[in-house]
Amino acid sequence: MRSHLDRLTPGVVLVGLTVLGLVVRLVGLGARVAHQDEARVASWILHYVAVDAWEYRPIIHGPFLPHVNGAVFELLGPSDFSMRLVVAVVGGLLPLSAWLLRARLRDREVLFLGALLSFNPILIYYSRFMRNDVLLGAFGFLAAAFVVRAIDTNRRRYLFGAAVAFALALTTKENALLYPVTWAGTLVLLLDHRLFHSRYDDGWWDTLRRISKRIARALWQTKYSIFGSLLALLVVVVAFYAPKPEFYQALGAPSQLPAVLETATLGTWEKFAELWGSTGMQEHSYVTFLLHLLGVVAVGGLTTMVFAAIGFLADRYGNRYPRDLVAVGFFWGLASLLGYPIVSDIKAGWTAVHVLIPLTIPAAVGLSVVLDRAELALRRNQRQTAAVAVVLLLGAATVLAGSGVAINAVYPADDRNPVVQYAQPAGDMKPTLEEIETIAAENEGIDVMFYGEEFYTPNETEQGASLDIETGGYAGWFDRLPLPWYLEQYDARVGSTEDPAAIAEHDPPVIITLEEETGTLQGEIEGYEKTIHQGYLHDRPIVFYVRS
């Protein structure tokens, strides 16, 4: 009689890995205080929901999060948990895409691929972060996997899946345009490899003609599916990028549709080119950015990098017929590692997402190679070889099982952890914010008074201040991040001043200022309890005075 374990198919195990990965991403999802970038974009999304209007602004990237998180906020309410939920779910479900590659990978390679996508520390960390990078990486990987599955099965419906997945990638972030460029480059390298080896057989010219004919025949046979897939891609992109509510109005008045379509396509491209096409966004030292990216990968992706190299080399030079999929994953990841320091505008750990996701393919092969070698060595009683292989596998398992949780749970208040981006407030600000929430619900008058030149907004105390989406905020708003995201949720009445005497006049229960400004507040802050939190990862201390 077969045991229950014997009945576990690779598909069932992959689902189990995915469920565990989802749990890791969802537990305590709202515990970390918002990164300044998260708070900025989340506040703008709340503004779009409030005014029931949206148009593309390149500085916050694509429309996916504004539209989808807008719906989530309306359903669940705004919170740190709800703003990160969609990214966590997409990142958590990504390992299921490994099943699409099962025709080109062995069962254990599929499972290793699922494990790497589930438990890589950097993928965990940035799946618990409201940014587009995990979304883009996941949709881009899924699109490529659908194409591979379409080739393997000759089932054209997978082309529609690829089109929709890549369309969603285009709605997340502008560097989705780099993905086809990278894929084209990897295919050129594969072609060169084929031509190089054919020089002793049919000759490179005959090989090139044979490959060209095969591609042309496949394109002709699938022309209708390709056309339909491109149409589906266009529909998704337009539906997301079209300005709202003009898009909905145009559906009822077709005469307005051409203008809306132009705005969603050409207008979007012009705005993108104006900001991200400018060389001013990439004026930095390539070496500095590359070293930073290598540092991030060394801290959170070393297992993937090491086993990706093992897998690529073993498959390319150890097999009579190397697998294209393994080479594509390796070249794709390597191109991203070398290319992103050129196009990035800031140093940030999230860039490593685009390097590590494709490298999981050769890394899964590498893990399988080492496991195969360990099994063979044990059968042949080669103890030293088996010991080395086992140590490598245990090291990989330890990193995947432990580092993901550790990196996600610990936020050191210094710059020693390159995975955590600089604009992440250090320490635990949540208890202080909870005090402010309670005060705002009970207090009458000004709840929170910002003090100092950087935080000051003219006439805010008397008239209030509203978010100007054209400029992105108002005077003092950006310097206060991530606090506006929370104060809006608490419906707190906010004021600001540069005059210490105004503190006594309004007698606010909460005063917030920079530590450098506290000297001018002496005599105005009696009866308050002082708490200091870092506004950045290791800099810019912010002082909270809460009435005791």
Side-chain angles (χ1 to χ4, degrees), residues 249-270:
Q249 295 168 353
L251 294 178
S255 62
Q256 301 176 19
L257 198 56
V260 171
L261 292 177
E262 182 180 5
T263 301
T265 53
L266 294 178
T268 295
W269 177 261
E270 290 172 356

Side-chain angles (χ1 to χ4, degrees), residues 54 68 71 89 98 117 172 189 199 203 259 269 301 303 390 416 491 515:
W54 177 87
V68 176
V89 169
L117 291 172
T172 60
L189 290 175
R199 71 193 190 281
W269 177 261
T303 296
V390 169
R416 289 175 295 180
D491 198 24
E515 188 175 43

Side-chain angles (χ1 to χ4, degrees), residues 249-470:
Q249 295 168 353
L251 294 178
S255 62
Q256 301 176 19
L257 198 56
V260 171
L261 292 177
E262 182 180 5
T263 301
T265 53
L266 294 178
T268 295
W269 177 261
E270 290 172 356
K271 288 184 177 181
F272 156 74
E274 182 179 354
L275 180 65
W276 298 112
S278 169
T279 57
M281 299 298 290
Q282 292 84 32
E283 290 181 352
H284 56 254
S285 166
Y286 173 79
V287 173
T288 300
F289 274 51
L290 176 61
L291 290 176
H292 177 267
L293 180 55
L294 288 171
V296 174
V297 170
V299 169
L302 190 59
T303 296
T304 300
M305 291 289 288
V306 169
F307 282 94
I310 293 173
F312 171 73
L313 294 174
D315 187 79
R316 188 172 182 84
Y317 300 108
N319 291 334
R320 180 176 177 84
Y321 299 104
R323 288 173 286 180
D324 291 344
L325 179 64
V326 179
V328 166
F330 186 80
F331 291 143
W332 177 0
L334 184 62
S336 299
L337 177 66
L338 299 177
Y340 267 87
I342 299 174
V343 300
S344 299
D345 60 319
I346 58 173
K347 290 188 292 185
W350 52 69
T351 304
V353 167
H354 307 286
V355 177
L356 293 173
I357 287 180
L359 286 179
T360 54
I361 296 174
V365 173
L367 285 165
S368 181
V369 166
V370 175
L371 180 57
D372 289 344
R373 192 68 186 90
E375 292 174 343
L376 179 62
L378 288 173
R379 287 196 300 268
R380 295 179 175 177
N381 201 29
Q382 297 172 338
R383 296 180 181 179
Q384 291 182 338
T385 302
V388 171
V390 169
V391 168
L392 284 172
L393 291 171
L394 288 176
T398 301
V399 170
L400 291 176
S403 295
V405 177
I407 286 180
N408 188 67
V410 180
Y411 304 95
D414 55 40
D415 58 357
R416 289 175 295 180
N417 187 350
V419 173
V420 184
Q421 207 271 340
Y422 178 74
Q424 172 65 52
D428 188 4
M429 196 184 293
K430 285 295 181 80
T432 302
L433 293 172
E434 289 168 0
E435 284 188 74
I436 295 174
E437 182 178 15
T438 301
I439 290 170
E442 300 172 351
N443 184 61
E444 295 183 2
I446 296 292
D447 302 313
V448 177
M449 180 71 79
F450 284 94
Y451 173 76
E453 180 181 358
E454 286 192 45
F455 290 157
Y456 178 61
T457 299
N459 304 317
E460 181 180 24
T461 305
E462 295 76 19
Q463 302 174 11
S466 59
L467 192 66
D468 181 358
I469 205 64
E470 293 299 324

Side-chain angles (χ1 to χ4, degrees), residues 18-37:
T18 302
V19 170
L20 288 175
L22 272 171
V23 170
V24 169
R25 285 159 173 79
L26 293 176
V27 172
L29 184 60
R32 173 175 56 82
V33 71
H35 181 280
Q36 291 197 18
D37 199 48

Side-chain angles (χ1 to χ4, degrees), residues 447-528:
D447 302 313
V448 177
M449 180 71 79
F450 284 94
Y451 173 76
E453 180 181 358
E454 286 192 45
F455 290 157
Y456 178 61
T457 299
N459 304 317
E460 181 180 24
T461 305
E462 295 76 19
Q463 302 174 11
S466 59
L467 192 66
D468 181 358
I469 205 64
E470 293 299 324
T471 60
Y474 47 79
W477 188 82
F478 285 99
D479 293 310
R480 300 175 187 178
L481 288 171
L483 300 177
W485 160 243
Y486 295 103
L487 299 178
E488 291 165 20
Q489 294 176 54
Y490 306 158
D491 198 24
R493 186 177 175 188
V494 177
S496 60
T497 184
E498 295 178 289
D499 182 6
I503 301 292
E505 177 184 349
H506 293 279
D507 192 28
V510 179
I511 304 167
I512 302 176
T513 187
L514 294 175
E515 188 175 43
E516 62 201 48
E517 299 277 5
T518 56
T520 59
L521 281 178
Q522 299 302 322
E524 308 294 341
I525 49 177
E526 295 180 1
Y528 289 87

